[in-house]
């Protein structure tokens, strides 16, 4: 049986069943786009670097928004998360300034514009923020939650148990962070390339053990930022891709 090929609708690539939006071209001259009803998934890097977009309307059929889906959509002004969405990748809105509104009961947008899943897991902090207070009752801070953001200060709640991999990596202006006594785990590279990294390593040594994989990933990220200033849309088996980093979490 022959595999069905992807199709193009108005220049936008979808799977043959039209359930997944795979790629919206960076050079497609459309400022306002409506994803058709019946689409269930926004694919990895689907709208990556689509700086021409001012608005995107998502359908009620949508269930999932994948990694880097709206990364670097620098002119996207607002985005509503439909009621049926069940999954949002932590870095889906990396470097995307859009004001988010959620109609989904599973996701809330806090007063700073950050995305919280079921009031327990922090998924995404706007990278433009310089100050942020993690909501009370949050237990987990997800991976890649504010990579290379402008944060200077973050306040963590007493309910927090875990901080994910690469959570604040590259937030160069982030000063000292008080870790709550409830915290059990800090993921790999969570505070790498931040102003507070060395001070926190000295005060909380049990959370900042080095390992070869961690150092390799960190060097790879630094090279990308120095050469191009942002993650590129490239193959997932390379260190530059944020998805690839997630696959190499500390065991």
């Amino acid at each position: 049986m022959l595999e069905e090929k992807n199709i193009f609708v108005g220049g936008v690539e979808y799977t043959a069943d039209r359930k997944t939006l795979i790629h919206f071209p960076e050079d497609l001259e459309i400022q306002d786009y409506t994803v058709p009803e019946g689409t269930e998934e926004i694919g990895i890097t689907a709208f990556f670097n689509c700086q021409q977009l001012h608005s995107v309307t998502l359908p009620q059929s949508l269930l999932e928004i994948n990694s880097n889906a709206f990364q670097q959509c620098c002119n996207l002004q607002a985005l509503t998360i439909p009621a049926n969405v069940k999954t949002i990748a932590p870095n889906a809105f990396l470097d995307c300034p859009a004001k988010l509104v959620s109609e989904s009961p599973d996701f809330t947008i806090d007063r700073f514009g950050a995305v919280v899943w079921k009031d327990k897991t922090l998924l995404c902090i706007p990278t433009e923020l310089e100050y942020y207070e993690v909501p009370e009752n949050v237990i987990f801070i997800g991976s890649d939650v504010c990579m290379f953001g402008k944060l200077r200060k973050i306040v963590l709640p007493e309910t927090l148990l875990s901080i994910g991999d690469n959570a604040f990596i590259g937030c160069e202006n982030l000063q000292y962070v008080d870790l709550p006594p409830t915290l059990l785990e800090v993921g790999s590279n969570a505070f790498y390339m931040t102003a507070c990294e060395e001070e926190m390593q000295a005060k909380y040594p049990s959370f900042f053990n080095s390992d070869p994989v961690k150092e390799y990933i960190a060097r790879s990220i630094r090279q990308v930022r120095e050469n191009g200033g942002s993650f590129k849309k490239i193959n997932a088996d390379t260190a530059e891709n944020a998805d690839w980093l997630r696959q190499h979490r500390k065991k």
Side-chain angles (χ1 to χ4, degrees):
M1 183 176 179
L2 294 176
E3 183 178 352
E4 290 185 287
K5 295 183 179 180
N6 294 338
I7 61 172
F8 289 83
V9 181
V12 181
E13 186 177 5
Y14 287 82
T15 53
D17 59 8
R18 300 196 182 201
K19 290 185 177 181
T20 302
L21 190 159
I22 296 175
H23 181 226
F24 189 100
E26 298 172 32
D27 57 356
L28 191 62
E29 296 182 0
I30 296 177
Q31 293 186 347
D32 305 294
Y33 184 69
T34 298
V35 179
E37 198 63 47
T39 303
E40 297 181 357
E41 182 176 351
I42 304 297
I44 296 172
T45 67
F47 290 95
F48 181 91
N49 199 38
C50 290
Q51 299 186 26
Q52 75 275 31
L53 283 172
H54 290 177
S55 72
V56 174
T57 302
L58 300 176
Q60 289 302 309
S61 57
L62 193 66
L63 302 176
E64 183 173 1
I65 302 175
N66 277 295
S67 301
N68 311 96
F70 293 93
Q71 182 179 347
Q72 292 179 225
C73 290
C74 300
N75 294 306
L76 192 61
Q77 298 172 4
L79 191 69
T80 297
I81 300 167
N84 294 314
V85 170
K86 301 298 182 184
T87 302
I88 299 176
N91 54 9
F93 306 106
L94 188 66
D95 294 329
C96 175
K99 180 180 179 180
L100 300 176
V101 175
S102 178
E103 296 177 347
S104 169
D106 289 339
F107 299 94
T108 56
I109 311 301
D110 71 12
R111 63 191 178 97
F112 294 94
V115 182
V116 182
W117 180 68
K118 293 190 175 180
D119 297 325
K120 300 295 183 183
T121 300
L122 180 63
L123 290 179
C124 178
I125 300 173
T127 50
E128 293 296 311
L129 287 181
E130 294 187 2
Y131 174 81
Y132 181 67
E133 296 177 16
V134 179
E136 291 293 334
N137 299 321
V138 165
I139 296 175
F140 304 108
I141 292 178
S143 300
D144 313 336
V145 72
C146 192
M147 297 172 70
F148 301 99
K150 296 181 179 180
L151 274 179
R152 292 180 177 273
K153 183 176 181 180
I154 185 168
V155 179
L156 304 179
E158 294 293 324
T159 52
L160 191 64
L161 299 178
S162 176
I163 298 175
D165 297 346
N166 311 309
F168 303 103
I169 189 170
C171 294
E172 297 178 346
N173 298 316
L174 184 59
Q175 302 299 318
Y176 184 76
V177 179
D178 281 317
L179 300 182
T182 52
L183 194 66
L184 301 176
E185 179 185 25
V186 175
S188 294
N189 301 319
F191 293 94
Y192 191 77
M193 291 188 282
T194 63
C196 62
E197 179 185 10
E198 292 185 4
E199 187 175 355
M200 294 186 70
Q201 285 177 339
K203 185 170 182 180
Y204 305 103
S206 62
F207 286 134
F208 295 95
N209 293 325
S210 180
D211 64 70
V213 172
K214 172 182 173 180
E215 294 304 319
Y216 172 72
I217 293 172
R219 285 197 306 271
S220 299
I221 294 177
R222 173 169 280 168
Q223 288 173 1
V224 174
R225 299 302 292 193
E226 289 175 350
N227 293 336
S230 64
F231 287 111
K232 300 175 183 178
K233 185 187 175 185
I234 51 181
N235 294 334
D237 60 352
T238 59
E240 292 90 338
N241 189 295
D243 249 11
W244 184 92
L245 298 176
R246 186 177 293 102
Q247 296 170 18
H248 290 72
R249 291 180 177 179
K250 182 171 60 178
K251 303 298 183 183

